[in-house]
Amino acid sequence: MASASSTSARSLFADSKMRLADRVQVNVNNISSLARQITRGSKSTEILMHSARNFAVQEQAMENSENNLKKLQILCVHLDHQHDAMIKSAQQLEEVKEQVCAMQR
C-alpha cells in the first residue's frame, strides 16, 4: 500500500512539476510579448520625435521664406521708385537738351 501511495505521490509531483513548467513557459512567452510591444512602442516614440523635429525645421524654413518674400516685396517697391526717378530724370534731360538747343539758336 505504501508503494501505491508513493507511486501516486510521485505521479502527483510529476504532474505538478509539468504544470509548473508549462506555466513558467507561458509566463516567459508573455514576458517576451510584452518586451516586443515595449520595443515597438519605443520605436514609435522615436519616429514621433523625429517627425516633430522635422516639422519644426520645416516651420522655420517657411518662416525664413516668408521673411525673404517680404524683403523681395520691399526691394520691388524700391526698384519701382528708382525706375520712376530714372524716367523723370530722362524726361528732364530731354527738356534740358531742348533748352540748350533753343539757347544755341
Side-chain angles (χ1 to χ4, degrees):
M1 210 60 167
S3 69
S5 84
S6 134
T7 305
S8 130
R10 279 189 218 150
S11 175
L12 285 175
F13 178 74
D15 287 345
S16 295
K17 193 174 175 182
M18 289 297 291
R19 279 185 289 180
L20 180 62
D22 288 342
R23 286 183 181 177
V24 167
Q25 184 62 42
V26 167
N27 286 339
V28 167
N29 289 340
N30 288 342
I31 288 172
S32 66
S33 259
L34 179 63
R36 280 192 298 274
Q37 289 294 342
I38 290 171
T39 302
R40 286 184 195 141
S42 69
K43 286 182 182 177
S44 66
T45 302
E46 289 174 15
I47 292 169
L48 186 59
M49 290 298 292
H50 190 343
S51 297
R53 272 189 240 118
N54 285 343
F55 183 77
V57 168
Q58 292 301 321
E59 187 177 16
Q60 184 64 37
M62 286 175 53
E63 204 172 297
N64 288 341
S65 296
E66 183 181 7
N67 289 338
N68 287 338
L69 283 173
K70 287 178 183 177
K71 289 176 185 177
L72 284 171
Q73 287 174 336
I74 292 170
L75 284 173
C76 285
V77 169
H78 287 308
L79 285 173
D80 191 38
H81 288 305
Q82 289 176 357
H83 180 257
D84 291 343
M86 287 172 53
I87 290 174
K88 187 176 177 182
S89 295
Q91 289 172 347
Q92 289 175 349
L93 187 59
E94 287 297 321
E95 291 174 12
V96 169
K97 279 184 184 178
E98 288 175 13
Q99 289 177 359
V100 167
C101 286
M103 290 169 73
Q104 286 177 348
R105 291 185 208 163

